[in-house]
Amino acid sequence: MLSAAILLVAFHLGLTFSGLVPNLVARPLHVALILPWIFLFTEQRSQRWVTAFGILLALAGMAAAVWIAVNADRLADQYGFVETGFQYAVGAVLLLAVLEAARRAIGWPLPVVAAIALLYAAFGQHVPGEFGHAPLPPASLMGTLTLAEGGIFGQLTGVSVGVVAIFVIFGAVLNAGEAGQGFMNLAAAAAGRLRGGAGKVSVIASALFGSISGSASANVASTGAVTIPAMIRMGYPRRIAAAVEAVASSGGQIMPPLMGAGAFVMVELTGTPYTQIITAALLPALLYFAVVWFGIDAYARRLDLGGLPPEQQPEAKEVLVTSAFFMVPFTVLLGAMFWVGYTPQYSAALAIIAGAVLLLTGADMRLDLRRAAGRAEVALIGAARQVSLIAAIILCASIIIGVLAMTGLGVKITSLILSVSNGNLWPSLLLTALACLVLGMEVPTTAAYVICVSVAGPALTALGLEPLQAHLFVFWFALLSTITPPVCGAVFIAAGMAQENWLRVAMTAMTLGVGLYLIPLGMIARPDLIRLAEAPGSALLAAALVGGGCVVISYALIGLRRRIQTVAGLLLGLAMIFVSWGG
């Protein structure tokens, strides 16, 4: 297992440092390296026949992917057409391996959607009306999806290979060392003494940790193990303690630099530079955490919750030492990107080296090679598992995107949105938001974002939105399902840790996380909110209005008892977000 992890990590770092490798070589090898982590190196117990099937499918899928990499030049000359029965078999094995990998990684919904898409591509010519399509020759359909760069090895897989994998490795290296404790210590030092300090520590720690983990569930499981018991000890009701952690942890997927892999996908889909995307996403993300902060403060006032006791607050020296374990790699990352001008993946690779060097020591400042070796193993295996999980999602979503492109279904759905909304922007936005929420309940955020923006993005840009504005809007609403019933993964985990009814936690989380529902609408009402680099003054003014409106609404829902006051607060907050004073 360790050897496979070393191979996977070395391959992706090698791609970053070695320069350009043909897509039809790098992407199939990426698939070959991730399949064992889904089928073979799994901690899940399965029936014997399931295990045997997994081994056979993994080996067949790896062999098919390696065959494509070896024959990349010849396949490029086929222009996406299958020429032999053997090539049909290779394509079928790859499709089956990708669908089953996604099922084992994240469950049935996404692979079922992908399978339906494949059936539509094969038989859609029999669908009556405008949603049918012209017959697709089987040789073209199979070849484009599996032997060329139009499906499994398409644009999204390129993002997974070239950028996402490197940043996931970076996060794994930080998590294996003292960086996680550094996040907690810095958060406790910054907010521990304040009213409701335990909850505010959770917000800061989750923002910091989430910026590298990019996963709401991982964020809850890690920081929640510390913050939820601390909040309960400080007098927080269990439903509020769990809700605080679920809401704070959900922000990790909108917090630069990772954004749960969404930032890198946006780079490819919009053609916008990575640095511009994370700059545009920064103010909305900070507003989200600010609104959660003020919501916690409102609860703290109501419940008379104090700060952390002195014995739970770290000493200044401890904060300084442990913070260095994430500050140094982050400084390397941001300095290489913004000051030197390296690409995001090359900058992250340099930051990985800095983080790996720091694994040699710890908060005790001792050089311990045995401890470093253990941490390196944790980092390598953790990176391989997470890279493979995200890749399984992206590969499956790539099948859907490939079918949308080949059949023209995306254009037809865009036309449907425009016709149903009668060409009006806000009805289109609400339809898109509903679609994101429903799809996000069944598939991970990044996959929901990719699918939704593929069909709704063109409609939103046709109605006047800038591409980045439309993409950020869709991405935020794809995240709603982390705290919105009936499927709310972050809430389920936090409720279990707090031993509280999940529905009560979800209702509280929706109140605390009201910014998640309103801030993306604020991006549309006040476009300057995402123009921090181009117009910082206007962006800060828009942030003050949108953030202020969300805080007023949050306080009206949490801190005001009389109904008329609550209604007045809601109206004032909505006016601050949506009413234009420019005339």
Side-chain angles (χ1 to χ4, degrees):
M1 185 186 296
L2 180 58
S3 298
I6 293 172
L7 183 61
L8 185 147
V9 171
F11 170 75
H12 290 96
L13 285 173
L15 281 180
T16 302
F17 287 120
S18 66
L20 294 176
V21 174
N23 291 336
L24 216 54
V25 174
R27 296 174 188 180
L29 290 179
H30 173 71
V31 173
L33 288 171
I34 67 100
L35 287 178
W37 292 92
I38 303 296
F39 291 102
L40 307 181
F41 308 136
T42 176
E43 298 172 354
Q44 299 175 356
R45 293 183 178 180
S46 302
Q47 296 176 346
R48 185 174 300 176
W49 72 268
V50 175
T51 302
F53 173 70
I55 293 172
L56 289 174
L57 189 55
L59 294 175
M62 292 165 64
V66 170
W67 182 85
I68 288 176
V70 170
N71 295 277
D73 291 339
R74 181 160 64 89
L75 292 173
D77 294 335
Q78 295 180 196
Y79 301 102
F81 276 83
V82 173
E83 293 184 349
T84 66
F86 176 76
Q87 291 181 2
Y88 271 112
V90 168
V93 165
L94 282 170
L95 287 174
L96 183 59
V98 167
L99 293 174
E100 177 64 7
R103 187 197 69 80
R104 294 191 180 209
I106 55 171
W108 282 101
L110 182 60
V112 166
V113 173
I116 292 172
L118 288 172
L119 290 173
Y120 174 76
F123 303 108
Q125 66 268 26
H126 303 299
V127 175
E130 62 178 308
F131 282 95
H133 62 77
L136 295 172
S140 173
L141 176 61
M142 180 65 82
T144 302
L145 290 178
T146 62
L147 303 182
E149 298 176 28
I152 290 175
F153 304 120
Q155 194 176 29
L156 285 183
T157 303
V159 179
S160 178
V161 177
V163 187
V164 173
I166 293 296
F167 274 85
V168 169
I169 295 167
F170 173 53
V173 170
L174 289 190
N175 289 333
E178 303 277 352
Q181 188 59 48
F183 291 148
M184 295 302 301
N185 287 342
L186 181 62
R193 294 179 175 84
L194 302 177
R195 178 175 49 233
K200 293 172 180 175
V201 166
S202 172
V203 172
I204 297 177
S206 294
L208 292 171
F209 183 83
S211 68
I212 60 167
S213 76
S215 165
S217 298
N219 212 345
V220 173
S222 53
T223 60
V226 177
T227 59
I228 289 176
M231 283 186 272
I232 292 172
R233 283 197 304 269
M234 294 304 300
Y236 276 78
R238 291 179 182 272
R239 68 176 177 87
I240 297 178
V244 166
E245 181 58 41
V247 171
S249 292
S250 295
Q253 289 186 263
I254 53 174
M255 187 69 183
L258 258 69
M259 296 170 62
F264 313 121
V265 176
M266 275 185 219
V267 170
E268 293 299 321
L269 297 183
T270 65
T272 305
Y274 172 77
T275 51
Q276 186 176 333
I277 286 176
I278 62 172
T279 304
L282 182 60
L283 273 182
L286 293 177
L287 285 185
Y288 172 79
F289 285 106
V291 174
V292 177
W293 178 287
F294 282 105
I296 292 170
D297 193 71
Y299 274 123
R301 285 178 181 273
R302 261 178 58 181
L303 302 171
D304 194 24
L305 300 172
L308 292 174
E311 63 269 16
Q312 293 185 22
Q313 297 174 12
E315 296 180 359
K317 180 182 177 181
E318 184 184 0
V319 174
L320 186 62
V321 170
T322 55
S323 295
F325 286 90
F326 70 84
M327 289 300 296
V328 170
F330 263 92
T331 300
V332 171
L333 172 69
L334 297 176
M337 265 197 306
F338 288 99
W339 299 330
V340 183
Y342 290 148
T343 62
Q345 56 267 44
Y346 195 87
S347 303
L350 296 177
I352 288 169
I353 295 172
V357 171
L358 290 174
L359 294 180
L360 294 170
T361 186
D364 55 9
M365 303 306 292
R366 286 191 305 109
L367 185 66
D368 189 332
L369 295 181
R370 179 174 294 181
R371 178 177 62 185
R375 289 176 170 178
E377 182 176 351
V378 169
L380 287 165
I381 292 176
R385 289 194 188 283
Q386 191 65 16
V387 166
S388 302
L389 175 65
I390 294 175
I393 296 168
I394 288 179
L395 288 167
C396 194
S398 295
I399 294 174
I400 300 170
I401 302 307
V403 169
L404 289 175
M406 294 181 71
T407 61
L409 181 61
V411 175
K412 295 168 184 174
I413 295 177
T414 295
S415 300
L416 179 65
I417 292 173
L418 291 171
S419 63
V420 170
S421 63
N422 200 26
N424 294 313
L425 176 60
W426 285 99
S428 295
L429 289 171
L430 294 177
L431 284 171
T432 303
L434 181 61
C436 289
L437 175 61
V438 172
L439 190 60
M441 289 178 182
E442 299 297 335
V443 301
T445 302
T446 303
Y449 151 67
V450 168
I451 296 169
C452 280
V453 86
S454 297
V455 297
L460 298 181
T461 53
L463 291 171
L465 293 190
E466 299 172 3
L468 184 55
Q469 198 180 13
H471 279 252
L472 284 172
F473 174 84
V474 172
F475 186 74
W476 272 62
F477 271 104
L479 183 62
L480 286 186
S481 61
T482 59
I483 62 171
T484 308
V487 180
C488 36
V491 165
F492 288 151
I493 296 172
M497 297 174 77
Q499 298 180 339
E500 177 60 280
N501 179 276
W502 73 268
L503 192 56
R504 295 185 68 207
V505 174
M507 294 300 106
T508 307
M510 291 172 68
T511 303
L512 262 179
V514 68
L516 194 59
Y517 302 86
L518 294 175
I519 292 172
L521 297 173
M523 296 180 203
I524 309 301
R526 302 192 183 278
D528 287 338
L529 181 59
I530 60 172
R531 295 173 182 159
L532 181 61
E534 302 87 17
S538 299
L540 292 173
L541 176 60
L545 290 169
V546 173
C550 289
V551 168
V552 169
I553 289 170
S554 178
Y555 189 76
L557 293 171
I558 296 170
L560 298 178
R561 299 302 188 106
R562 295 183 180 178
R563 184 171 299 176
I564 190 169
Q565 292 177 329
T566 300
V567 172
L570 294 175
L571 292 175
L572 174 60
L574 291 172
M576 292 176 68
I577 297 171
F578 295 107
V579 175
S580 173
W581 299 347

